[in-house]
Amino acid sequence: MSLSPGEILALAMLATLALALFSGLPVAIVLMAVGFAFGGLGIFLGLMRAADFGAIYFRVYGALTDSDEILYAAVPLLIFMGSALQKAGLARDLLLGVQGLFRRVPGGLLIAVLVLGTVLSPTAGVIGASVSAMAIMALPVLLQQGYRPADAAGVVGAAGTLGVVVPPGILLFFVADAIGVQVPAMFLGMLGPLALLLGGYLVFVAVFRRPVRAPIASDGSFSERATPRELLLRLAAPSLLIGAILASIGLGWASLSESAAIGAAGAALLGAAQRRLSLADLDAAIRQTLLTTAMVFFIFLGASVFSLVFRLLGGANLIAGALRSLEVGSIGVLVVSLLVVFALGFFFDWVEIVLVTFPILRPVLEALDFGGHIAASHLALYWIAVLLALNLQTSFLTPPFGFALLLLKGAAPPGVTLADIYRGAVPYVVIQVIVIAAVIALPDIATWLPEQAFDLSLPHGGKFKE
Amino acid sequence: MRRAVEHQRLVAFATALAKTLDVGVSGFSVFFGRVALPLIIVCGMGTVVGRHLRIGPSAELKELESILFFAILMISFGYAYLRNALVRIDIVSQHVPVRARAAIELLGCVAVVFPFCLVLMWDGGESAWRSFAQGERLAIGDWPLQWLVRLAVPLGALLLLAAAIAISARCLLLLLASRTSGATGERMPTPFDHESTP
């Protein structure tokens, strides 16, 4: 196989990126730097024109302003909602409420942690944030209640990564956009696999994970003395808010950004009505929203410089051609693509994987023919998008490199070792792999629900594409 | 003796520059966020209510939501850089001496962020000016104000450039401090410190 000079440069570009990312510079700046350097080289060798760099402004402006389809406006609103829920202590209410409800169930506190991870999904902007938050909130309580460090760390890692793929988490938003499927349909598509996943987790903790010793001391906390009615009341408000968002999208009452606005206002009003969200908290939530939104979209800018040059040099075609030349059938190509994404998840957060890698994989995945394996060809991309999201989450949780596990070690109390964390994570990774295999074998798990709610045969173009 | 005085002047200048730019960029971004984010929420809710009750200018609200989102985003990049909220893969670099990290960061700012911002300021400024001169109208509302939307790009790039200059000044202070310890005066945050407040 002979490579053109442009393709050689494109491969060198990928290799340089892989090394330069470890320089410690912000990822977005590294992406720009590699893009500029190889763009300059391309111009010098006559493979690109200097005028091509003029497209950067139009890519920035064009990608982020589209009043016909203002999906991106939902991102800061979802982040604000999650932040306000946390600042007002409503997230803590959930932990205490669920813990109280399940106090007589084996592994009740572990169930509470899993539910909390699920409900905190809007705050899970980055895997690091959600895992660290879960570790700080739940790990000391679990250890105090007599769970082994490995069991406690395993459930916290699982809950922290689960939040990343629960609607309306923003990872799903960007996966849908990069793969070119409707975001609300992607949200609904995740519910089937997530039900299996959560069910598997819950059965596992209820049957196999119990405290190995008595709790250190009763802390007389709310969850210990409250009646079931009080506990349900505590649970009701934040659960209703999240449920209302999903319902309004699923039933077609509101678009994504509209329902996110309702969720953001609802979270602030709930906090204010209960006198638990001061002006200072509100201000902190706004600042957090600005920082997290800018963090995600700055990588978007960097990726747009990188991918512009990479495509102009012929890199995207090269990778697509290499994947197509594998003689392993459509399912084989899909599995190889999932494995590539899985390996990337060991080292990188989802933002850079989704924004840099997915647009390159998209044309290959779009062209795959799954024949009779999937009910209708227009459903294939939805199925693939769900698999990619689940796959990323699994990668973050897999020893020894799982990103979430290393972050968990950073936020864990000194008594919890990395070996504990690895041991604790393994059962959840096994459950993840079983669910992914089930979704590959039975695509209806991911496509049935969105197909009932939306007309998925309508074309949908993601904005992050050439 | 003369070199020591020059060194002290340079340190004082870099410190003042970093602080001034930090306060300016953070203050502007946070102020804008405090105003624009609640407005985006109001627009989103207004659109739903307007559409279901068939009242109010829901299409205009939708466009305003889109414009505010774009503006808030462009204006937040510099603030996020200053607060070290940008994603870094620091598995390797956390073991590198802070002086070497400062040198890499300085190089990244000068060789990458500065030219990127200048390209966006140049092209974005030209685009906004052309839009103003031609009286380009918003998609809905028929007002000749599209130039304001286009202006968000060069304005955001200017704020990011100012943030990058502040970060560069902090890096310079780190490099100077390690050469002559104790000559830096008050301690500035390094570009690698995580801060939650400006």
Side-chain angles (χ1 to χ4, degrees):
Chain A
M1 180 179 162
S2 63
L3 296 174
S4 68
E7 289 172 336
I8 293 170
L9 267 193
L11 286 180
M13 204 174 164
L14 282 183
T16 309
L17 177 68
L19 287 176
L21 279 172
F22 293 98
S23 66
L25 278 171
V27 169
I29 295 178
V30 173
L31 285 162
M32 286 178 202
V34 177
F36 281 142
F38 280 83
L41 211 53
I43 292 166
F44 179 72
L45 296 173
L47 301 168
M48 279 176 58
R49 293 173 301 132
D52 290 332
F53 273 116
I56 289 171
Y57 163 74
F58 295 101
R59 283 169 70 89
V60 170
Y61 183 77
L64 298 178
T65 54
D66 183 356
S67 55
D68 292 334
E69 193 186 6
I70 46 169
L71 290 174
Y72 292 149
V75 175
L77 300 177
L78 289 172
I79 294 170
F80 175 79
M81 176 182 132
S83 190
L85 279 175
Q86 226 168 7
K87 302 273 179 218
L90 294 168
R92 188 176 154 75
D93 276 4
L94 273 167
L95 179 65
L96 295 176
V98 181
Q99 179 194 350
L101 283 179
F102 288 93
R103 63 189 158 203
R104 292 184 205 290
V105 176
L109 185 53
L110 301 183
I111 294 174
V113 172
L114 287 170
V115 172
L116 183 70
T118 309
V119 174
L120 285 184
S121 64
T123 58
V126 279
I127 192 88
S130 64
V131 170
S132 304
M134 291 298 301
I136 291 163
M137 261 195 282
L139 208 45
V141 185
L142 286 164
L143 296 173
Q144 194 186 37
Q145 294 293 315
Y147 288 95
R148 280 187 304 199
D151 297 348
V155 78
V156 167
T161 55
L162 193 66
V164 181
V165 288
V166 175
I170 58 171
L171 172 140
L172 302 178
F173 179 93
F174 280 94
V175 170
D177 197 45
I179 295 297
V181 298
Q182 297 173 34
V183 181
M186 167 105 196
F187 281 2
L188 293 190
M190 288 304 297
L191 295 183
L194 281 172
L196 286 181
L197 209 53
L198 197 57
Y201 281 3
L202 293 178
V203 169
F204 171 73
V205 297
V207 175
F208 297 106
R209 290 289 180 262
R210 293 168 192 220
V212 287
R213 58 170 174 74
I216 288 173
S218 168
D219 58 2
S221 65
F222 173 81
S223 62
E224 286 185 2
R225 53 188 162 75
T227 63
R229 188 170 168 276
E230 285 172 316
L231 292 168
L232 280 172
L233 277 177
R234 282 229 167 182
L235 276 173
S239 306
L240 277 175
L241 191 64
I242 306 278
I245 289 179
L246 290 177
S248 64
I249 295 171
L251 297 172
W253 292 337
S255 70
L256 181 66
S257 62
E258 290 164 1
S259 53
I262 293 169
L269 290 174
L270 264 178
Q274 297 183 12
R275 295 174 189 274
R276 296 166 71 184
L277 191 69
S278 64
L279 274 179
D281 292 332
L282 204 59
D283 194 48
I286 289 175
R287 287 172 192 235
Q288 186 60 49
T289 304
L290 296 181
L291 294 177
T292 309
T293 309
M295 178 273 289
V296 174
F297 281 95
F298 199 42
I299 295 181
F300 188 105
L301 291 193
S304 95
V305 175
F306 179 87
S307 65
L308 174 73
V309 176
F310 189 69
R311 281 173 193 273
L312 287 171
L313 292 174
N317 290 338
L318 177 70
I319 297 213
L323 278 172
R324 284 192 194 109
S325 68
L326 294 173
E327 292 178 0
V328 289
S330 289
I331 294 277
V333 172
L334 175 63
V335 170
V336 170
S337 304
L338 290 176
L339 288 174
V340 169
V341 171
F342 184 81
L344 289 173
F346 281 158
F347 305 103
F348 307 121
D349 205 338
W350 66 264
V351 192
E352 44 269 38
I353 298 173
V354 173
L355 294 181
V356 179
T357 315
F358 284 16
I360 295 172
L361 289 177
R362 181 178 163 180
V364 182
L365 298 172
E366 268 178 336
L368 296 178
D369 177 12
F370 294 98
H373 186 65
I374 193 156
S377 59
H378 64 264
L379 298 177
L381 276 184
Y382 287 89
W383 174 53
I384 292 170
V386 167
L387 281 171
L388 285 169
L390 287 172
N391 189 48
L392 267 179
Q393 183 220 352
T394 310
S395 171
F396 296 144
L397 195 59
T398 304
F401 297 116
F403 209 61
L405 305 180
L406 301 176
L407 290 164
L408 183 53
K409 175 69 186 103
V416 181
T417 65
L418 199 55
D420 288 330
I421 294 173
Y422 286 169
R423 268 199 307 278
V426 169
Y428 299 95
V429 174
V430 173
I431 295 171
Q432 292 274 150
V433 172
I434 292 170
V435 171
I436 290 176
V439 177
I440 291 178
L442 301 167
D444 281 353
I445 297 171
T447 58
W448 182 82
L449 195 55
E451 203 187 3
Q452 304 307 310
F454 300 102
D455 182 359
L456 302 182
S457 60
L458 294 173
H460 176 80
K463 282 191 274 182
F464 191 78
K465 64 180 185 348
E466 288 304 302
Chain B
M1 180 68 185
R2 202 176 139 205
R3 283 189 69 181
V5 172
E6 279 176 4
H7 179 267
Q8 274 189 338
R9 275 189 191 154
L10 183 60
V11 167
F13 174 72
T15 306
L17 184 69
K19 276 183 79 171
T20 309
L21 290 175
D22 191 325
V23 169
V25 172
S26 302
F28 184 78
S29 303
V30 172
F31 172 76
F32 190 81
R34 283 173 184 155
V35 175
L37 194 63
L39 270 177
I40 295 178
I41 296 172
V42 169
C43 288
M45 292 180 64
T47 311
V48 184
V49 173
R51 193 177 54 248
H52 286 287
L53 300 181
R54 296 174 192 280
I55 52 164
S58 78
E60 281 85 348
L61 286 177
K62 196 174 173 187
E63 188 178 16
L64 183 60
E65 185 184 1
S66 161
I67 292 169
L68 286 169
F69 162 72
F70 182 60
I72 213 172
L73 189 61
M74 293 307 302
I75 283 164
S76 303
F77 289 139
Y79 175 53
Y81 193 18
L82 281 172
R83 300 274 82 77
N84 193 21
L86 304 181
V87 180
R88 298 169 187 266
I89 314 274
D90 54 6
I91 302 168
V92 176
S93 64
Q94 64 187 349
H95 304 295
V96 173
V98 74
R99 195 175 166 210
R101 292 176 71 187
I104 294 170
E105 192 80 26
L106 185 58
L107 183 68
C109 283
V110 174
V112 182
V113 185
F114 290 2
F116 177 71
C117 292
L118 291 173
V119 167
L120 286 187
M121 283 166 66
W122 181 263
D123 287 342
E126 196 185 5
S127 168
W129 172 249
R130 231 183 301 122
S131 172
F132 176 75
Q134 293 171 358
E136 188 184 7
R137 292 171 188 279
L138 294 169
I140 295 165
D142 207 33
W143 297 307
L145 296 174
Q146 186 66 29
W147 65 273
L148 272 175
V149 185
R150 293 186 181 273
L151 195 63
V153 176
L155 180 60
L158 179 66
L159 290 170
L160 178 59
L161 180 67
I165 293 171
I167 296 281
S168 302
R170 288 188 203 166
C171 290
L172 196 64
L173 284 168
L174 269 174
L175 292 170
L176 289 172
S178 53
R179 203 174 278 176
T180 51
S181 56
T184 55
E186 66 179 295
R187 195 223 176 233
M188 291 289 292
T190 76
F192 322 112
D193 288 340
H194 286 277
E195 296 167 276
S196 55
T197 52

